[in-house]
Amino acid sequence: MSRVTTRPEPAPGEDTPTPIDQAGRPATSEGAEPGEDAEPRLSVAAVARRLGVAPATLRTWDRRYGLGPSDHTSGRHRRYGPADIARLEQMQRALLRGASPMEAARYARAVAAPPQPSPEVAEKPEEGGEGPVLLSGVLDGDDIKLVGGSNTGGRGLKLTGAGPQARGLGRAALALDSWSVQRLLIEAMGSDGVVATWQGMLQPVLRAVSERRQRSGSGIEVLQLLVDCASTALRSVIATAPAPLNPRPVVLAPVPGEAQELELVALAAALAANRVGHRLFGASLPREGLAAAVRRSAPAAVVLWADQAHYASPRVLEDIPITRQRARAFAAGAGWSPEALPPHVERLGSLEAAVARVSETVLG
């Protein structure tokens, strides 16, 4: 950090002097420096902190894709101006939408830089205006819609065959970017629905993060953040769902002792979007609490979730007081053995099948 010196105090009536550094340039705040056009400029480290990436990533983007300081002079430190930073922010935004680095760089140059003739970027007339067209996706309004690409990565995640949305979600999760994880999931569920988002986006990334942790022995923080953010996004769907149509609710609960409940929350969100009212209980509900919840709710159906076979005891199902309410009983999750289920209990399959079956049961 350079030492800043100042001139002597001005005499009355004189202007206040500007602090200068050792090179004789006007000094500015930490990490910033005015350019020839008097715009503030940030160092590589300052921009990296702002974007939440490593400084080496910025140098790579500069070297490979030309997204560096626009007026960098050899022999001087890199300093990023507002236009440069705007391009980098667009690059990062496209990456989180699932674009490959090359696609993201094209997009960033197209939307943040002055239009320039290029064989890769053209102007496509739209009914409401004009927008830059990417080779594997189209900018529609203020969002990016990617429609292909062979990139299988999410920076270290094996997402072979996954779509752009899953790749973007994987990148955000590995960066521990909880805000982007939640936003990507909420946007996807708003446009594609809960079931499609679970099957095509969230489930592949959850599987890839779990496999990565098994291979490397690290990354528990990535998995935990992804699960927590997914639960938050799914519960936001429940909180904003339209009024239910069924007079008697569906009770959804994990079996006592079961800690894995994310897919049960996804089922609750999908049912809520279908206007199926429910009572969702968390993993800490003990057996007596479950029985009391069923008695008080007088439900039309009860769904018990078990991911681990150790907790999937048929006795739990037999102890549920559903006879008086004439409620249907369902078992969901990989922990249940179909052969061990009581005759009155129906086993649910995939999330899509479970949503359809429970909705049909309570709505007719």
Side-chain angles (χ1 to χ4, degrees):
M1 184 175 177
S2 60
R3 187 178 71 247
V4 176
T5 61
T6 60
R7 297 171 183 171
E9 290 293 326
E14 294 184 2
D15 294 333
T16 303
T18 302
I20 58 173
D21 60 17
Q22 286 180 319
R25 295 188 301 265
T28 62
S29 58
E30 181 181 0
E33 173 183 298
E36 294 179 0
D37 53 1
E39 290 183 333
R41 295 185 174 274
L42 300 180
S43 65
V44 173
V47 175
R49 286 194 299 270
R50 175 169 175 166
L51 298 180
V53 300
T57 300
L58 296 182
R59 297 187 182 97
T60 299
W61 290 355
D62 184 8
R63 184 175 66 255
R64 292 184 181 177
Y65 312 116
L67 293 178
S70 53
D71 59 351
H72 175 60
T73 303
S74 178
R76 296 187 61 184
H77 293 295
R78 288 179 171 85
R79 296 282 175 175
Y80 291 82
D84 305 324
I85 296 171
R87 280 190 291 270
L88 295 176
E89 289 173 340
Q90 294 292 353
M91 170 89 171
Q92 188 180 49
R93 179 169 177 259
L95 287 171
L96 291 178
R97 291 300 186 280
S100 69
M102 185 175 295
E103 292 169 336
R106 291 194 192 105
Y107 171 75
R109 289 194 296 266
V111 300
Q116 296 179 356
S118 169
E120 298 174 344
V121 180
E123 293 296 323
K124 176 182 178 181
E126 297 284 349
E127 191 170 322
E130 295 183 347
V133 179
L134 307 184
L135 292 182
S136 65
V138 179
L139 178 68
D140 183 12
D142 62 352
D143 207 351
I144 305 166
K145 292 185 177 180
L146 295 168
V147 294
S150 58
N151 190 329
T152 62
R155 288 187 188 169
L157 296 181
K158 291 188 176 180
L159 289 168
T160 305
Q165 289 179 312
R167 299 202 306 266
L169 182 64
R171 289 189 179 102
L174 288 180
L176 300 181
D177 186 351
S178 58
W179 185 87
S180 293
V181 169
Q182 293 176 27
R183 180 179 177 183
L184 291 171
L185 289 172
I186 290 172
E187 289 179 353
M189 289 188 289
S191 60
D192 303 329
V194 175
V195 174
T197 300
W198 174 268
Q199 293 177 338
M201 184 177 179
L202 182 54
Q203 194 173 44
V205 177
L206 284 167
R207 186 184 303 115
V209 171
S210 298
E211 292 173 352
R212 179 176 179 268
R213 180 172 179 248
Q214 292 173 0
R215 292 194 310 269
S216 65
S218 61
I220 182 60
E221 73 284 358
V222 178
L223 181 60
Q224 187 65 52
L225 179 135
L226 180 58
V227 169
D228 290 345
C229 290
S231 180
T232 299
L234 290 165
R235 291 177 187 275
S236 74
V237 174
I238 299 173
T240 58
L245 299 176
N246 49 313
R248 296 170 60 195
V250 177
V251 168
L252 306 169
V255 296
E258 177 62 71
Q260 305 296 329
E261 61 177 13
L262 185 61
E263 192 166 351
L264 184 66
V265 179
L267 174 59
L271 290 174
N274 270 9
R275 304 193 69 175
V276 175
H278 62 267
R279 305 290 185 267
L280 175 62
F281 295 93
S284 58
L285 187 67
R287 181 172 299 189
E288 61 272 17
L290 175 60
V294 173
R295 282 195 301 268
R296 296 185 59 187
S297 301
V302 177
V303 179
L304 289 189
W305 167 265
D307 186 65
Q308 303 294 323
H310 175 73
Y311 301 112
S313 170
R315 184 175 177 181
V316 177
L317 295 164
E318 295 170 352
D319 290 345
I320 299 176
I322 61 174
T323 305
R324 184 171 299 177
Q325 286 90 358
R326 296 181 180 178
R328 294 293 301 272
F330 296 98
W336 297 106
S337 171
E339 296 78 13
L341 294 177
H344 67 283
V345 178
E346 181 180 345
R347 188 173 185 273
L348 299 174
S350 66
L351 178 63
E352 183 177 13
V355 173
R357 184 71 184 97
V358 174
S359 299
E360 177 188 16
T361 299
V362 300
L363 297 180

